[in-house]
Amino acid sequence: MRFLRELLETLILAILIFLVVQTTLQSFQIQFESMKPNLLPGQRLVVNKILYFHFSWGKATKYIPFVHKEDNTAFLFHPPQRGDVIVFEPPLPSASDYIKRVIGLPGDIVEIKGGKVYANDQPLAEPYIADAPNYAMAPEAVPPGYYFVLGDNRNNSSDSHTWGFVPLNNIIGKAWVSFWPLDRWGWAPNYSFAQVER
């Protein structure tokens, strides 16, 4: 009887651990070259799914304590930041999720000209790209609840400059750790920008 009880406790604990891991972490494999030179096809990452957990209770959201709030959305930790590498469901038909870098935040004015990306009229220093973009994009305002994303391989990436903004609800999580192949093991290539004035 004691053996059965311990077996049941172990089984319940294993199921709980499995559920926690499934809801907070996800494995993701790079399939295309849009994030070169930082992420390569075949490379595998762990995605942190809980970091951007959010909810909205309308105007009542502003009364929720101990959370980060933007507009009527409350984030358990914080919203996506400029420079974060995110995995998301693309807002166009696709058989797989996409991975790109957050460039424009809700409320930003984003523009691409002269081989540089601008956020709120400020050129972004982007040491993580190999080549400057060889295209231009007229200034566009990022709507509330949306993000502007670009691939690091600027001239070989299907991203916001061609199909538009990514809704917050499409974002699965932030790239966290690269674990395969072993010679590329380490933190994902997220980048922290200095605050761009709005």
Side-chain angles (χ1 to χ4, degrees):
M1 204 56 180
R2 182 177 173 188
F3 170 76
L4 288 175
R5 188 177 67 194
E6 288 180 0
L7 183 63
L8 184 61
E9 288 174 355
T10 303
L11 185 61
I12 291 172
L13 182 59
I15 290 171
L16 287 174
I17 291 171
F18 174 79
L19 291 174
V20 167
V21 169
Q22 287 295 103
T23 56
T24 59
L25 302 175
Q26 176 178 318
S27 174
F28 180 80
Q29 182 174 2
I30 308 295
Q31 296 183 31
F32 305 107
E33 298 186 344
S34 69
M35 289 299 289
K36 285 178 73 175
N38 301 299
L39 296 170
L40 305 177
Q43 193 168 346
R44 290 183 174 272
L45 306 170
V46 173
V47 177
N48 184 331
K49 293 166 60 175
I50 193 115
L51 191 61
Y52 303 141
F53 179 80
H54 63 281
F55 53 91
S56 179
W57 292 344
K59 292 181 180 178
T61 305
K62 65 182 177 183
Y63 300 110
I64 301 170
F66 313 117
V67 294
H68 179 94
K69 295 180 261 308
E70 276 193 8
D71 298 322
N72 287 330
T73 303
F75 292 86
L76 188 58
F77 297 102
H78 62 76
Q81 307 291 307
R82 192 184 332 278
D84 287 359
V85 175
I86 62 169
V87 173
F88 59 94
E89 298 170 11
L92 69 168
S94 174
S96 60
D97 296 329
Y98 280 16
I99 183 165
K100 309 289 177 191
R101 189 178 300 275
V102 175
I103 299 297
L105 307 176
D108 282 349
I109 305 295
V110 181
E111 181 179 10
I112 303 172
K113 62 181 179 181
K116 288 192 176 290
V117 177
Y118 290 77
N120 306 316
D121 294 323
Q122 300 295 316
L124 298 181
E126 298 186 284
Y128 46 79
I129 64 172
D131 298 307
N134 61 12
Y135 53 85
M137 188 189 86
E140 286 197 51
V142 183
Y146 287 79
Y147 293 83
F148 183 87
V149 299
L150 293 173
D152 290 354
N153 188 0
R154 289 292 151 82
N155 300 311
N156 187 20
S157 175
S158 172
D159 50 36
S160 287
H161 90 277
T162 56
W163 43 251
F165 306 107
V166 177
L168 172 61
N169 288 335
N170 284 35
I171 297 176
I172 295 167
K174 180 178 179 179
W176 189 30
V177 174
S178 172
F179 66 89
W180 188 263
L182 293 178
D183 63 344
R184 293 190 68 85
W185 189 93
W187 298 114
N190 295 290
Y191 182 77
S192 179
F193 282 98
Q195 181 66 34
V196 175
E197 293 295 328
R198 292 190 182 174

